[in-house]
Amino acid sequence: MTANTKLVAGNWKMHGRRDMAAALAQAVCAGAPAGVDAALCVPFPYLAQVGDALTNGPVALGAQDLSEQDEGAYTGEVSGGMLAEFGCRYVIVGHSERRARHAESSARVAAKAARAVACGLTPIVCVGETLQEREGGQTLDVISAQLEPVLSLGADLVAQLVIAYEPVWAIGTGRTASVAQAVEVHGAIRHALRGCAPEVADAVRLLYGGSVKPETAPGLFAGEDIDGGLIGGAALDAASFLAICRAAAAAAR
Ligand code: PEP
């Protein structure tokens, strides 16, 4: 990885069946272009199978959540150590669906990010405002508050992060943020990074997520401080995901 190699991570969410997972992972692995870092963040039950399909290939394995605990009596939770044992490189933390459905606070998201790094994983920390917050002019305040606990973890940890800006109103809705809207928020995140960890701020990759499609990817990836994408729906189709990866590779050149 270099600072200007873009990262495109697929978030399969709770989609898939065993045969579909194998076929999709194999197709993505076979078609992944050079010049981009690609990853698939898959449901826990498919980690072993998708990990096998990706072995020695150009696409990294990722998960969609982890516990902030090391191990113990935490029924239903999955530890970072377990993810590392299955070959995961990335783990999404603080996705808006988890913040909303599981009441994950930003402090807990930061604890999860720290746990991921302690286990040798790269956390993809998601932040984003709701439509009501955007319309109320609160976007940058909301992002800043969501980031504050994770940026307080110190420069060494911040250097290990990927941050994904995912406006809640754009996730799964078909409504992508405009390039100008994404660039404004990414610029604010970069500014916050420079404030707390100037020596590593420019190397932290900032992904945009929210209804990215092959048609919208080139414009977004050309935007200042947009270092790749977190891709939901379009990651469930190999041709679409690979087209987005090619757009990211082209934008990095
Ligand atoms: C996501 O869930 O992280 C996401 C970006 O989803 P979608 O691309 O479907 O909006």
Side-chain angles (χ1 to χ4, degrees), residues 1 7 89-91 93 112-125 150-151 153-163 193 197 199-201 203-205:
M1 172 196 122
L7 169 64
R89 168 136 182 233
Y90 296 97
V91 59
V93 296
K112 288 185 175 205
R115 192 74 230 138
V117 170
C119 294
L121 304 166
T122 298
I124 301 175
V125 178
V150 80
L151 298 189
L153 295 169
D156 287 352
L157 196 132
V158 168
Q160 306 298 317
L161 302 177
V162 170
I163 297 173
L193 286 167
E199 61 282 17
V200 300
V204 175
R205 289 191 286 193

Side-chain angles (χ1 to χ4, degrees), residues 11 13 95 97 166 170-173 209-212 230-234:
N11 173 15
K13 312 196 189 199
H95 191 283
E97 288 154 12
E166 296 208 309
I171 294 180
T173 59
S211 296
V212 178
L230 183 55
I231 314 300

